[in-house]
Amino acid sequence: MRDDSDESLMFRYRDGDVRAFELLVTRHRKAVYNFIVRFVRDAAQAEDVLQETFLRVIKSADAYEKQAKFTTWLYTIARNLCVDAARRGKHRRAASLDAPVNNDPEAPALIERIADAGAGVDRQAIGRQMALRMQEAIAQLPDEQREIFILREVNDLQFNEIADIVGCPENTVKSRMRYALEKLREALEEYRDLAQAAP
Amino acid sequence: MPELPEVESVARSLRPRLVGRRVVAIEVSGLSLRRPIERERLERALAGAKAEGVRRVGKYLLIDFSTGNVLLVHLGMSGRLLFARPGEARAPHTHAVFRLSGGLELRYVDPRRFGVLRAYSAGELERSPELSVLGIDPLAPDFSVAQLIAMLASARRDLKGFLLDQSRLAGLGNIYACEALFLAGLGPRRRTHRVGAAAAARLFGAIREVLEAGIRNRGTSFSDYVDAEGDQGSNQNTLAVYGREGEPCRVCGRKIRRVVQGARSTFYCPGCQK
């Protein structure tokens, strides 16, 4: 069963196999959480939204049809709940630069992804500063650009899937991604020369 | 603190004599509980209204009235709802008296004053600060193993803390959380997102089993708890780990241990719980 596709596991769960549901949760929990926490920018609220996402999957299991990829369906649910949470404005606050992105003890922090473990001390220090700046810059992106950047770069989804999830044309997704990248590039401009100059 | 089985037992003991009676008058002590008792609000909502039903959500008691209004009660740490005849002496710490038709009173007694006594319209109730934050009632018919798996996977904390979180599962407190973990064979410090499907299924069954046993035994009476007729429960005589530090486990014989988690005592068997 471990090698089964998501869609196959969802059908097995629909037919009553709880173990299949657990496999789906295990497979996607971290990635969906990473998407949610970067959207809502609050670890406790992200846990609530993650729970509600999987509870909605359970509730909708009987109606599940293989019309779209399971991940597209899953992220659509998560994204809609994030939008609802943002509308309610509960726990809405600026992202802390000191706190880890998501307080997730398992997930590598963004800082660890960007800093090169094999690099020299100076380079590592620059990497850390740059990662923090990156984190701040992502948090400051407009919601519609941030969600697309996260779905593409963190969750590794295709543009056509992202278009289905956010409910807009693929070209709009691509242009929002382009704007997001431009803003991030501007935010990190000062580090380009430093990073190149460090040993 | 009264937990789900105690509150359910109070609800069951209230129904026979409360349903069908009207509220004739309301008296309050003037002292605040966790929130102030608003006498005028209670009178507006309940005076002259007939009690039509008593139900429970998590650790909250809900008394439905003919006007569509609802009396919400949380017993806090030491609250009791007791029937009494009008002439009977009032117990110390009586903070509200509901005079009922047919010569009966329902009295709210709460020495530690951590309870809640508040009236809502039916429309307000679901959005109330008390109920809007509650998670799933573990005895609700639609609660499932899959839901528990989803909830465990979404939280990042120890199992004991998870079970006490009323925004996840509404109704478990310290006693029944310890007992459920023992029955499921799960250590209280185990991380929620590392609980697999088989263990989640065991925990699901254990939660329901300890709660249903608690209800069958009409609650756990260590000190304050009695039902509306003043009767104690007997569940304290059947507990496997709670309050048994240093005593042998009834399954493996090893000594029951006590640790402090989140400022609460957790009792567990180091042999049976992993």
Side-chain angles (χ1 to χ4, degrees):
Chain A
M1 188 158 53
R2 289 202 170 273
D3 298 328
D4 284 7
S5 69
D6 290 340
E7 292 75 18
S8 158
L9 288 174
M10 192 60 203
F11 283 123
R12 290 180 78 131
Y13 169 59
R14 195 184 66 179
D15 294 338
D17 186 345
V18 176
R19 172 98 182 109
F21 177 73
E22 193 236 345
L23 276 175
L24 280 171
V25 170
T26 304
R27 224 176 247 184
H28 296 288
R29 178 176 59 85
K30 276 181 10 184
V32 178
Y33 177 80
N34 282 336
F35 166 68
I36 294 169
V37 79
R38 285 176 172 86
F39 197 116
V40 301
R41 291 179 274 188
D42 180 276
Q45 194 182 18
E47 287 184 10
D48 291 345
V49 174
L50 180 67
Q51 175 179 301
E52 190 55 32
T53 300
F54 286 125
L55 292 179
R56 294 277 173 101
V57 169
I58 293 168
K59 205 179 275 183
S60 310
D62 285 343
Y64 177 75
E65 296 293 341
K66 196 179 171 182
Q67 289 163 338
K69 276 181 74 175
F70 174 78
T71 46
T72 307
W73 184 58
L74 181 65
Y75 279 98
T76 303
I77 294 171
R79 189 253 179 192
N80 289 341
L81 289 168
C82 285
V83 170
D84 289 347
R87 276 199 195 118
R88 285 197 305 271
K90 279 166 71 177
H91 306 289
R92 196 75 191 267
R93 63 181 81 136
S96 163
L97 292 184
D98 299 325
V101 174
N102 51 22
N103 289 331
D104 181 354
E106 293 176 285
L110 198 53
I111 194 170
E112 290 164 20
R113 293 178 174 203
I114 292 173
D116 177 359
V121 174
D122 289 351
R123 203 178 175 86
Q124 282 184 36
I126 291 168
R128 285 204 179 83
Q129 284 175 28
M130 192 163 72
L132 287 173
R133 183 73 193 94
M134 177 88 160
Q135 202 171 302
E136 182 188 33
I138 292 169
Q140 286 175 350
L141 288 172
D143 287 350
E144 73 270 13
Q145 290 174 24
R146 193 173 69 253
E147 67 176 346
I148 284 166
F149 177 82
I150 293 165
L151 287 167
R152 181 80 188 103
E153 293 301 319
V154 179
N155 298 94
D156 206 24
L157 298 183
Q158 301 297 314
F159 283 122
N160 61 344
E161 289 178 77
I162 298 171
D164 285 341
I165 291 165
V166 302
C168 66
E170 192 173 332
N171 282 339
T172 309
V173 170
K174 285 180 178 169
S175 66
R176 285 179 187 171
M177 182 71 181
R178 204 162 42 243
Y179 289 131
L181 288 173
E182 279 169 16
K183 284 193 179 120
L184 295 177
R185 203 171 288 128
E186 280 170 26
L188 296 171
E189 184 65 27
E190 62 187 294
Y191 290 96
R192 195 175 63 177
D193 295 339
L194 278 172
Q196 284 170 354
Chain B
M1 175 189 281
E3 302 181 30
L4 186 155
E6 288 75 43
V7 180
E8 179 63 34
S9 300
V10 172
R12 291 180 183 194
S13 66
L14 283 171
R15 278 182 202 120
R17 289 214 277 170
L18 180 60
V19 172
R21 292 182 196 261
R22 289 184 186 277
V23 175
V24 175
I26 300 169
E27 292 174 48
V28 300
S29 67
L31 293 174
S32 179
L33 304 179
R34 194 188 319 173
R35 297 178 68 178
I37 305 175
E38 297 176 33
R39 188 172 67 96
E40 286 179 9
R41 184 184 170 105
L42 287 176
E43 281 178 343
R44 266 201 315 275
L46 309 180
K50 186 164 76 176
E52 292 195 327
V54 183
R55 57 198 163 105
R56 178 196 56 76
V57 177
K59 298 181 193 176
Y60 287 94
L61 268 171
L62 302 172
I63 303 173
D64 296 296
F65 284 88
S66 52
T67 49
N69 295 322
V70 181
L71 176 63
L72 175 147
V73 184
H74 192 290
L75 300 173
M77 301 289 285
S78 57
R80 283 174 283 169
L81 274 173
L82 293 162
F83 286 121
R85 290 288 160 195
E88 280 180 50
R90 289 183 185 175
H93 313 291
T94 297
H95 296 295
V97 176
F98 298 87
R99 280 180 43 214
L100 305 170
S101 56
L104 192 66
E105 289 182 354
L106 182 63
R107 298 175 180 177
Y108 181 78
V109 180
D110 190 352
R112 297 172 74 172
R113 291 196 277 131
F114 279 111
V116 176
L117 208 59
R118 197 167 170 81
Y120 287 105
S121 69
E124 291 172 324
L125 186 66
E126 293 303 316
R127 298 192 308 273
S128 68
E130 290 86 5
L131 297 197
S132 63
V133 295
L134 284 188
I136 298 172
D137 189 298
L139 293 186
D142 58 348
F143 181 45
S144 67
V145 176
Q147 284 182 325
L148 185 59
I149 288 171
M151 295 161 77
L152 290 167
S154 307
R156 281 165 175 72
R157 57 192 309 180
D158 59 79
L159 266 178
K160 172 77 182 314
F162 169 83
L163 292 179
L164 295 183
D165 183 349
Q166 302 299 299
S167 72
R168 308 276 169 202
L169 285 175
L172 283 165
N174 211 23
I175 297 173
Y176 294 93
C178 289
E179 293 296 306
L181 287 172
F182 172 78
L183 194 57
L186 296 170
R189 284 180 281 209
R190 190 153 157 180
R191 304 296 290 176
T192 49
H193 59 282
R194 299 197 188 286
V195 176
R202 287 204 310 277
L203 182 59
F204 176 84
I207 289 169
R208 288 197 151 177
E209 197 171 327
V210 298
L211 293 175
E212 283 164 0
I215 293 168
R216 276 197 307 277
N217 294 325
R218 292 176 296 107
T220 303
S221 294
F222 276 125
S223 52
D224 299 301
Y225 167 71
V226 289
D227 68 17
E229 299 293 353
D231 295 328
Q232 290 197 329
S234 62
N235 200 56
Q236 63 278 10
N237 303 323
T238 69
L239 300 176
V241 287
Y242 187 86
R244 298 191 63 238
E245 182 186 13
E247 294 179 36
C249 170
R250 295 190 181 113
V251 176
C252 73
R254 287 181 68 172
K255 284 186 176 175
I256 302 298
R257 283 194 193 153
R258 183 181 76 91
V259 291
V260 176
Q261 283 180 284
R264 312 286 300 276
S265 287
T266 297
F267 298 87
Y268 73 102
C269 170
C272 296
Q273 292 177 251
K274 302 293 177 197

